[in-house]
Amino acid sequence: MNRRIAREEILRRLREEITAGRQIVATGAGSGLVARVADRSAVDLIVVYSSGKFRQDGLASIVGALPVANANEVMLELGRERIFPVVRDTPVIGGIYTHDPTRDLDDLLDQMITTGYSGVINFPTVGRIDGSYRADLESLGFGFAQEVEMLRRAAARDLLTLAYVYTPHEAAQVVEAGVDVVVAHGGVTGGGDIGLARTRTLDATAETFTGIFDAARAARDDVVVLTHGGPIITPEDAAEIAARTGAHGFVGASSTERIPIENALKTVYAAFKAGPGA
């Protein structure tokens, strides 16, 4: 059973990877199988989101941001029943939906600690929403500022804090609040059977992420910066974006737990079907 790992210990490990010139790798895990393999493969962080359940159910990640399940309960249940029984020593981060008005946020953070989570990330996030709907949410108190406050409360409990951000302004907000890791989000991941057919280009994504990381580092120069989503599908994509933006690594979900499984299963099924002499 995984033990909860202190924030300073996780940061020590991450900084050790950065100093050694190795990329930090975090992966979503919506099943015990993915979590077990990640834990035995020197992955630095395992992230449990509501979207992970849907990925492992064969559905698109974006379902995790729709009102089809209780995101916080899914995260807690996945941790208790699927992830912690098989993870030995990798810190496990839980995705919190801050805006559930029926759940006390402090109670939720305490539950996460009891369950064994070592950190939090703001997912689902209103950062992914724009236009008039986003304006309505913000005006009614369901905005990004509430997610920043959640991250402050998590940090006060010695939980590692990761923040998905989409703009330089959001990056500055979370770093000024003391967040440990800024994750620049490129939108829904392309590729595989159910990813977006078209995403922004790597060039456009690198430009956006550079602005985000410049704002984060201006607020605090020791912040860890990671990338996620959009056109970053392969290890080569992640390495190119890191080289162009100065990112310390990558947070994968579809790229590390859905697309590789799709590809591996297709290959093995085709080989079995081919039979003797193939």
Side-chain angles (χ1 to χ4, degrees), residues 107-131:
D107 286 349
L108 176 59
L109 289 167
D110 291 342
Q111 276 186 280
M112 291 181 70
I113 290 170
T114 300
T115 302
Y117 282 100
S118 298
V120 302
I121 189 168
N122 57 325
F123 182 88
T125 171
V126 298
R128 185 67 181 86
I129 302 169
D130 54 19

Side-chain angles (χ1 to χ4, degrees), residues 25-261:
V25 178
T27 183
S31 71
L33 175 61
V34 171
R36 177 174 58 78
V37 175
D39 180 61
R40 311 307 193 266
S41 301
V43 163
D44 298 290
L45 301 169
I46 293 171
V47 190
V48 180
Y49 316 94
S50 58
S51 59
K53 165 186 162 45
F54 296 110
R55 275 190 294 276
Q56 294 301 307
D57 286 346
L59 302 172
S61 298
I62 202 167
V63 177
L66 298 176
V68 296
N70 184 316
N72 293 321
E73 197 57 46
V74 169
M75 175 269 295
L76 290 170
E77 183 177 320
L78 276 174
R80 283 192 302 261
E81 299 182 9
R82 302 284 186 270
I83 308 305
F84 289 113
V86 299
V87 172
R88 294 172 178 167
D89 191 46
T90 306
V92 181
I93 311 303
I96 288 187
Y97 181 58
T98 305
H99 306 290
D100 180 354
T102 69
R103 184 187 291 271
D104 182 86
L105 181 58
D106 290 309
D107 286 349
L108 176 59
L109 289 167
D110 291 342
Q111 276 186 280
M112 291 181 70
I113 290 170
T114 300
T115 302
Y117 282 100
S118 298
V120 302
I121 189 168
N122 57 325
F123 182 88
T125 171
V126 298
R128 185 67 181 86
I129 302 169
D130 54 19
S132 61
Y133 183 43
R134 171 70 177 272
D136 289 346
L137 289 169
E138 294 280 354
S139 67
L140 292 170
F142 299 102
F144 195 75
Q146 284 68 40
E147 296 179 20
V148 175
E149 175 60 23
M150 177 275 289
L151 293 163
R152 281 197 187 97
R153 295 192 201 182
R157 287 168 165 79
D158 194 40
L159 289 161
L160 187 78
T161 50
L162 292 79
Y164 275 136
V165 300
Y166 293 82
T167 68
H169 177 64
E170 290 172 355
Q173 277 185 283
V174 298
V175 176
E176 288 165 3
V179 159
D180 300 304
V181 182
V182 168
V183 186
H185 201 305
V188 176
T189 302
D193 293 345
I194 51 177
L196 285 183
R198 286 179 292 180
T199 65
R200 298 178 68 196
T201 65
L202 284 172
D203 285 341
T205 300
E207 182 178 354
T208 298
F209 284 6
T210 297
I212 288 171
F213 294 155
D214 285 349
R217 288 170 168 141
R220 196 178 75 245
D221 61 8
D222 68 342
V223 66
V224 178
V225 293
L226 306 177
T227 64
H228 174 84
I232 310 173
I233 301 167
T234 67
E236 293 75 20
D237 295 334
E240 180 178 342
I241 290 290
R244 294 172 63 176
T245 66
H248 298 125
F250 176 64
V251 178
S254 291
S255 298
T256 55
E257 68 162 334
R258 173 178 62 79
I259 296 171
I261 292 172

